């Protein structure tokens, strides 16, 4: 279907559909470069899901597009984790030694009952 029909079906405007496509919130177009895009059910389902996520989490289409970028690009995700640690929104991940220690304590059935090794009396 053409963009005007797709927009009407979704309760939005052709301009907003073009904007969402530019942000990468629609599947890639399979149409030839010079022909008009035809929207199919896959495209409409993607837009419906994006609209639902925007409403549910109170975010803009641009914010949703950035979230997808963070999921798709490991370097962006790493930078966001770093910011999360620095702002206190994320806690520093446990070290391998701390994970192993907790695993051993769980195996012994004593999770959290021993002080960390560096604080234990000798």
């Amino acid at each position: 279907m053409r963009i005007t029909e797709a927009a009407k079906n979704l309760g939005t405007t052709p301009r907003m559909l073009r904007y969402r496509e530019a942000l990468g919130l629609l599947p890639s177009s399979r149409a030839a470069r010079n022909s008009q895009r035809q929207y199919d059910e896959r495209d409409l389902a993607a837009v419906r899901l994006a609209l639902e996520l925007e409403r549910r989490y109170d975010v803009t289409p641009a914010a949703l597009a950035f979230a997808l970028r963070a999921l798709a690009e490991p370097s962006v995700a790493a930078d966001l984790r770093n910011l999360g640690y620095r702002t206190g929104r994320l806690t520093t991940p446990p070290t391998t030694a701390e994970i192993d220690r907790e695993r051993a304590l769980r195996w012994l059935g004593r999770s959290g009952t021993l002080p960390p090794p560096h604080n234990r009396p000798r």
Side-chain angles (χ1 to χ4, degrees):
M1 71 184 77
R2 294 182 56 146
I3 193 168
T4 52
E5 186 181 347
K8 185 177 178 182
N9 187 310
L10 294 164
T12 188
T13 64
R15 183 176 181 200
M16 280 305 290
L17 277 181
R18 286 187 197 97
Y19 175 61
R20 289 171 185 290
E21 185 173 9
L23 289 172
L25 295 176
L26 274 87
S28 297
S29 175
R30 294 156 305 282
R33 185 172 275 194
N34 293 333
S35 66
Q36 291 186 349
R37 180 179 180 134
Q38 293 293 308
Y39 293 82
D40 59 20
E41 275 307 311
R42 181 176 156 222
D43 300 322
L44 298 182
V47 174
R48 281 187 195 103
L49 179 57
L51 289 167
E52 170 58 28
L53 293 172
E54 291 163 20
R55 278 191 292 270
R56 185 183 315 162
Y57 297 108
D58 193 24
V59 296
T60 64
L64 189 60
F66 183 72
L68 285 175
R69 182 176 173 206
L71 290 172
E73 297 178 31
S75 63
V76 176
D79 289 341
L80 290 173
R81 271 192 305 281
N82 185 17
L83 177 62
Y85 298 142
R86 289 171 182 260
T87 60
R89 299 276 309 261
L90 297 175
T91 59
T92 306
T95 65
T96 304
E98 290 170 331
I99 293 170
D100 290 344
R101 178 179 174 277
E102 285 302 313
R103 188 176 296 138
L105 288 172
R106 272 196 310 275
W107 184 76
L108 293 170
R110 296 190 261 173
S111 182
T113 59
L114 296 176
H118 60 278
N119 291 340
R120 250 187 245 146
R122 293 183 188 221

